[in-house]
Structure formats: structure tokens, C-alpha cells
Amino acid sequence: MSTFLDKLAVRRNRIEDQRQQLQAAEDFVWVWADVVDPSSHEYGAELGCAETNRLAHLFRVFHFWNTANQLQDEHQRGPNCNAAELHPPVTGECA
């Protein structure tokens, strides 16, 4: 019985960790999208292709289509895009 309870406790801890991670990701998206804006170069951020793709994907998961699209467009036109990684086509709603 204690093995079952131990496994249950581990699962609960993992679920809580995932909940906290998701909340942190959502908080980050809201802060960046609403306060900072996607103009990353204005704040000294120099994102490579992989980082841009990951960040744009995070915005798209939370339906911040315009922020994701602007971030990707800015990156592809900027000096940090060396085509080290292909950028996915822009998809989804543009509200």
C-alpha cells in the first residue's frame, strides 16, 4: 500500500510542477506580449533562429498570433537570422 501512496505522491508532485511551469509560461507570454512588445532588439535581446522559433511557438500556443508573427518577421529581416534553422510558416489567426 505504501508503494502505491509513494507513486501517487510522485505523480501529484509532477502534476504540480507542470501546473507551475504552465503558469510561468503563461505569465511570461502576457508580460512580453503586453508590456515589452515583440521588438526584442530595442531591449537588447539578440535571438537566434532556434530561440525565435521557440518563443514564437510559445506565443502561438497561447494564441498571441500577432506577437508571434511580428517576432518572427522582425527576426527574419534582422541581422541575427543566419538561416541556421528554418522558420515555420506563419499560421493561425491574426487578430
Side-chain angles (χ1 to χ4, degrees):
M1 184 67 150
S2 67
T3 303
F4 173 76
L5 294 177
D6 291 342
K7 288 181 180 179
L8 184 60
V10 167
R11 181 169 166 76
R12 283 185 182 156
N13 288 341
R14 186 172 51 240
I15 289 171
E16 178 59 19
D17 286 346
Q18 289 172 341
R19 188 196 66 74
Q20 290 178 10
Q21 290 169 348
L22 180 59
Q23 185 62 54
E26 185 175 6
D27 292 346
F28 173 79
V29 168
W30 278 100
V31 167
W32 187 299
D34 288 344
V35 177
V36 177
D37 195 71
S39 303
S40 57
H41 66 278
E42 292 179 15
Y43 297 92
E46 295 183 7
L47 301 176
C49 294
E51 294 86 3
T52 299
N53 286 345
R54 288 186 190 103
L55 189 55
H57 175 70
L58 181 63
F59 287 127
R60 288 181 180 117
V61 166
F62 287 97
H63 306 287
F64 284 86
W65 300 105
N66 284 337
T67 303
N69 297 343
Q70 289 173 7
L71 178 69
Q72 187 171 319
D73 182 57
E74 172 192 304
H75 169 75
Q76 287 176 293
R77 289 185 290 117
N80 293 326
C81 186
N82 59 7
E85 188 173 306
L86 293 176
H87 296 288
V90 173
T91 59
E93 298 176 9
C94 292

